[in-house]
Amino acid sequence: MTLHAFWGQSWGNGRRFAPVYLEFFPQMALTDTACKNAKCDPAKPRTRFADAGGLYLEVVSTGGKHWYWKYRFGGKEKRIALGAYPGVPLAKARRDRDAARDVLKAGSDPVQAKKEAKEAHVRAAGNTFELLARQWHTGWKDAHSERHADYVLRRLELDAFPVIGNMPIRDVTAHDLVRMARKIEARGARDIAQRVWQSCGQVFEYAATVVDEAGEQMVSRNPSKDLRPSVALKPRKKTHYARVESKEMPELLRKIEAYAGGPATRLAMKLMALTFVRTGELIGARWDEFDLEAEEWRIPAERMKMKTPHIVPLSKQALEVLAAIHELRGLSGLLFQGERDHEKPMSNGTILGALKRMGYAGRMTGHGFRGVASTILHELGHRHDIIELQLAHQERDEVSAAYNFATYLPQRRKMMQQWADHLDQLRAGAKILPFKAA
């Protein structure tokens, strides 16, 4: 067997083309002995041994031997894998070649036909990623809010199932998850790509507890753990949320008080300043999360960034704002309803838009209240660990989460009331005295 290279040959129009390597196969049909003795050329990563009618045995440098049939479809040269030798002997490889040729004669692409047949078999066997994912979701959703459960399923349906849904779950690799995640990232939704990756990981963990008809685990390992999504995706540029300086807060607070836009937006900004929760946590707030007698706002884990419950002690000023919001409420369970659909929360950009109209475009965001609160509370002498707990910055594991979310609650109550009193003083322009820690 020889290998020839043609360099810079010319076509009739005078153009030259790139180097082309053509491998010539011997014209004699293979025998069982030839297949058994076939070895890869040491100088090449793979060597092909031709049989007849486009069938050939490919031997790779590592010793593996695989059958392929070469054909043309739609004007393009293609090949179909027919199995590994000696598991697929010469006689069966020829029969499979003939069967694929019949599919081609019928006008179909043998590769596509094989793929569709495999998918149909997998669906019938009930072990595709999509089927296992739906089984997982049916049990998982009972422990989560209906809204969050619907969101997770919708993300799987839109982003995961089109890429890996029809694959046997055993065959899904980290590379397939990377393909899926990068497709989501390509439309500018990097955060969603990470969330879908995490949901897929939970599906694999569930599948490890399920056995097939033969009594074997659906999966023995979780490919989502082979690679972190942060490695597969483009690095995230660190975001520094715009926020005013501490000395600018009095003017901002007075402008919020005099805001001429919708009353719900004005009250939302006031509550955000008093509680310094994240924007998503504020606009998604529901009345059943508030215990007004205990003067607490308990945000459930599924609505928190760290996925653990969070307590916001309510100052007297915050309770007054809640009373004003309650007078505006409709039939929805949400504090801040959307303008058109009252079953959906206020838009994420409502507060940002209000701040822009007040002259703070590029200078302040809803998230900026958190940074300002952290800075001022530190300046007033409050303890760093208590401030961080109230900001819900600490990551907490499952064992300690139930304890930590209520840690230092008496101290946090005192701090939140002093924070609200401090905002009143800032708004009124009174002289501020630093807090003296005990």
Side-chain angles (χ1 to χ4, degrees):
M1 191 180 301
T2 59
L3 188 68
H4 300 277
F6 296 85
W7 293 86
Q9 298 285 349
S10 299
W11 287 108
N13 60 8
R15 290 186 300 171
R16 306 178 76 80
F17 53 87
V20 178
Y21 292 90
L22 299 179
E23 188 171 294
F24 294 95
F25 300 117
Q27 296 302 307
M28 296 178 60
L30 292 174
T31 64
D32 289 328
T33 301
C35 293
K36 182 178 180 180
N37 296 331
K39 290 182 173 56
C40 183
D41 185 334
K44 296 185 292 185
R46 59 181 57 82
T47 304
R48 296 172 179 177
F49 297 86
D51 181 51
L55 177 67
Y56 63 90
L57 182 68
E58 183 174 275
V59 185
V60 296
S61 57
T62 55
K65 299 178 180 182
H66 298 269
W67 291 108
Y68 293 97
W69 178 54
K70 184 171 61 174
Y71 65 98
R72 295 188 70 82
F73 182 81
K76 296 182 179 180
E77 185 176 287
K78 306 185 73 173
R79 71 174 187 169
I80 185 172
L82 300 178
Y85 178 88
V88 176
L90 176 60
K92 185 176 187 312
R94 287 171 174 168
R95 290 196 300 271
D96 291 345
R97 172 203 60 194
D98 294 341
R101 183 185 289 159
D102 291 340
V103 173
L104 182 63
K105 288 180 179 178
S108 297
D109 181 359
V111 168
Q112 184 62 28
K114 181 181 179 181
K115 179 181 178 182
E116 292 173 356
K118 182 179 179 180
E119 290 175 351
H121 173 73
V122 167
R123 285 194 296 271
N127 64 353
T128 63
F129 177 86
E130 179 176 347
L131 289 173
L132 268 297
R134 291 188 182 279
Q135 289 177 21
W136 161 77
H137 186 266
T138 298
W140 172 86
K141 68 180 181 180
D142 293 338
H144 299 79
S145 70
E146 182 179 356
R147 181 168 177 257
H148 181 58
D150 288 345
Y151 172 82
V152 170
L153 181 59
R154 188 166 66 253
R155 290 267 61 90
L156 288 171
E157 290 174 338
L158 293 175
D159 296 314
F161 296 165
V163 181
I164 60 175
N166 284 333
M167 295 179 65
I169 195 164
R170 289 190 181 99
D171 294 348
V172 180
T173 65
H175 174 70
D176 297 313
L177 295 177
V178 170
R179 283 194 301 115
M180 173 198 73
R182 286 179 176 169
K183 187 174 181 181
I184 303 170
E185 181 188 44
R187 66 171 193 262
R190 187 183 189 279
D191 287 344
I192 291 177
Q194 287 189 298
R195 292 191 200 110
V196 175
W197 186 297
Q198 291 165 358
S199 295
C200 289
Q202 291 178 282
V203 173
F204 285 113
E205 290 174 2
Y206 163 77
T209 69
V210 180
V211 296
D212 60 17
E213 294 180 354
E216 297 181 358
Q217 279 181 299
M218 285 291 187
V219 296
S220 58
R221 59 195 310 277
N222 184 349
S224 73
K225 301 294 185 182
D226 293 346
L227 191 67
R228 299 193 309 275
S230 59
V231 175
L233 302 174
K234 294 178 182 178
R236 183 204 304 271
K237 291 183 179 179
K238 190 171 182 180
T239 302
H240 296 282
Y241 294 97
R243 71 184 197 211
V244 297
E245 297 292 332
S246 301
K247 62 184 180 181
E248 299 177 88
M249 276 297 285
E251 181 183 6
L252 173 59
L253 292 170
R254 286 192 284 269
K255 285 188 175 182
I256 291 175
E257 195 66 37
Y259 180 65
T265 304
R266 178 175 59 83
L267 292 169
M269 288 189 287
K270 291 186 68 172
L271 189 61
M272 175 166 277
L274 288 163
T275 60
F276 46 87
V277 294
R278 296 177 179 89
T279 305
E281 295 157 8
L282 180 85
I283 64 175
R286 304 188 67 87
W287 285 108
D288 57 15
E289 296 172 1
F290 291 83
D291 185 339
L292 299 183
E293 291 185 4
E295 300 180 352
E296 290 179 356
W297 176 11
R298 293 191 170 228
I299 307 176
E302 61 267 22
R303 292 212 309 108
M304 293 297 299
K305 182 179 180 180
M306 297 302 180
K307 301 305 178 188
T308 55
H310 182 54
I311 297 178
V312 181
L314 298 171
S315 62
K316 295 176 182 177
Q317 292 87 333
L319 291 170
E320 290 173 1
V321 172
L322 287 170
I325 295 171
H326 194 271
E327 293 180 3
L328 300 175
R329 70 174 296 191
L331 298 177
S332 171
L334 293 162
L335 267 71
F336 303 107
Q337 306 162 15
E339 289 186 8
R340 295 180 178 84
D341 188 347
H342 290 178
E343 294 304 314
K344 291 184 179 180
M346 172 188 288
S347 167
N348 214 6
T350 301
I351 292 176
L352 183 62
L355 289 167
K356 287 181 178 179
R357 284 190 288 276
M358 291 190 297
Y360 290 92
R363 297 173 53 212
M364 186 60 172
T365 64
H367 199 281
F369 285 103
R370 293 169 59 77
V372 175
S374 177
T375 298
I376 295 178
L377 287 171
H378 278 97
E379 291 173 351
L380 292 176
H382 289 278
R383 284 170 45 183
H384 173 75
D385 54 342
I386 295 177
I387 297 171
E388 288 294 288
L389 269 171
Q390 196 53 55
L391 287 164
H393 276 167
Q394 274 99 331
E395 293 196 37
R396 290 155 274 186
D397 57 38
E398 293 181 1
V399 175
S400 63
Y403 170 75
N404 278 348
F405 84 102
T407 300
Y408 294 131
L409 191 53
Q411 294 91 329
R412 287 156 58 192
R413 289 187 192 282
K414 184 176 181 180
M415 181 182 73
M416 295 300 284
Q417 184 57 58
Q418 289 172 340
W419 169 247
D421 294 340
H422 181 76
L423 293 184
D424 284 347
Q425 291 175 318
L426 288 176
R427 188 183 303 107
K431 184 177 180 181
I432 308 299
L433 296 176
F435 166 72
K436 299 299 183 181

